[in-house]
Amino acid sequence: METIAERLKSALETIRQTADNANRASDSVQLLAVSKTKPVSDIVLAYEAGQRKFGENYVQEGVEKIQALQALEGTEWHFIGPLQSNKTRLVAEHFDWVQSIDREKIARRLNEQRTPHKALNVCIQVNINDEQSKSGVALNEIKPLAHAIASMPHLTLRGLMAIPNNDLDDAALRETFVQMKNAFTQLQAQYPTVDTLSMGMSGDMTAAIENGSTMVRIGTAIFGARNK
Ligand SMILES: *Cc1c(COP(=O)(O)O)cnc(C)c1O
């Protein structure tokens, strides 16, 4: 069995190769290691292998890990799961990024609860395949939400995040990524702080990078299968 360090290395190699083949700079795609459900000891192994950006989906679990790993310098913690308004304070106080903003109320609470010295980086989550089971806004709701976020002093609008439907065939998946890329380009033209298009997971990172992703969120391919 491969170690976490080996799997991390091969994920980075896939990113580099794919970016290269698509005529993109290899540093134009960031790797977010999604450590949800995995123990702190696994995160330490990834950290020792050079990884700094970590993604968590559950508030309580994420905050416990951030606190346990406070001694690790240079880490960057991204909240990527659904966020209810009664949990925003913990997220605002502990995370560096929230990628799953899907309504103004949540953004407003995070802005109010953020410690003023350092803005919270946020992405708007887009429900790009219009799925009942997924959070996120529709394409035509990006603009008003971005406008609201841009006026909040303790938030920095960094971009868009999406989780495509996992039943799509390859052509439909690519079309979905292209739609996201177009929405991202439009947003970027309006807001200079926007630099992040977060799309691509273990199963579809290649197609995502070929279609403009600037951040892939990889769990299984680094930490192995999850039990829950
Ligand atoms: C779990 C999760 C991932 C990682 O998925 P893998 O298929 O394990 O790579 C990425 N993004 C989000 C939002 C997730 O919830």
Side-chain angles (χ1 to χ4, degrees):
M1 217 181 88
E2 280 182 307
T3 64
I4 287 174
E6 285 163 347
R7 287 191 231 130
L8 182 64
K9 195 173 163 208
S10 77
L12 288 167
E13 182 55 21
T14 302
I15 291 170
R16 198 194 60 74
Q17 275 288 342
T18 310
D20 201 46
N21 293 344
N23 289 317
R24 300 185 53 194
S26 50
D27 63 358
S28 65
V29 186
Q30 308 283 309
L31 171 59
L32 183 72
V34 178
S35 44
K36 64 182 180 208
T37 83
K38 297 297 178 182
V40 160
S41 54
D42 283 4
I43 300 175
V44 171
L45 290 174
Y47 181 89
E48 284 169 351
Q51 182 63 26
R52 294 293 179 268
K53 298 179 198 319
F54 295 96
E56 288 284 338
N57 281 56
Y58 310 103
V59 176
Q60 202 60 44
E61 178 190 337
V63 168
E64 279 167 23
K65 288 175 179 173
I66 292 170
Q67 287 175 328
L69 295 170
Q70 255 167 3
L72 301 184
E73 273 174 42
T75 51
E76 190 178 278
W77 292 94
H78 293 232
F79 187 76
I80 61 175
L83 183 51
Q84 269 136 28
S85 52
N86 61 344
K87 299 275 177 64
T88 51
R89 180 175 295 280
L90 276 172
V91 170
E93 287 175 351
H94 292 93
F95 281 84
D96 303 298
W97 285 62
V98 178
Q99 296 199 10
S100 45
I101 303 283
D102 63 354
R103 53 196 193 279
E104 188 176 330
K105 181 184 174 193
I106 296 291
R108 207 164 284 294
R109 288 178 65 91
L110 290 169
N111 180 59
E112 283 161 8
Q113 293 163 346
R114 181 66 171 176
T115 38
H117 67 279
K118 197 159 178 270
L120 181 67
N121 297 292
V122 300
C123 294
I124 294 172
Q125 182 172 352
V126 183
N127 189 351
I128 188 65
N129 299 124
D130 195 20
E131 291 175 88
Q132 287 257 304
S133 62
K134 290 214 175 99
S135 335
V137 302
L139 280 174
N140 65 2
E141 295 167 333
I142 295 173
K143 211 172 164 179
L145 184 52
H147 183 76
I149 292 170
S151 73
M152 300 180 188
H154 307 306
L155 303 187
T156 301
L157 181 63
R158 298 298 294 269
L160 301 176
M161 185 271 263
I163 311 168
N165 182 323
N166 44 24
D167 294 331
L168 300 179
D169 65 26
D170 190 61
L173 177 66
R174 283 171 190 274
E175 175 55 30
T176 293
F177 286 143
V178 169
Q179 285 183 305
M180 285 300 302
K181 167 75 177 174
N182 291 340
F184 173 67
T185 305
Q186 281 179 29
L187 194 66
Q188 226 179 358
Q190 239 187 323
Y191 300 100
T193 55
V194 168
D195 59 3
T196 302
L197 177 56
S198 173
M199 58 185 195
M201 315 195 338
S202 296
D204 59 9
M205 63 188 287
T206 307
I209 293 168
E210 286 166 359
N211 290 287
S213 169
T214 73
M215 186 180 291
V216 289
R217 308 179 308 269
I218 307 297
T220 311
I222 295 171
F223 297 109
R226 290 178 294 271
N227 296 322
K228 56 173 175 172

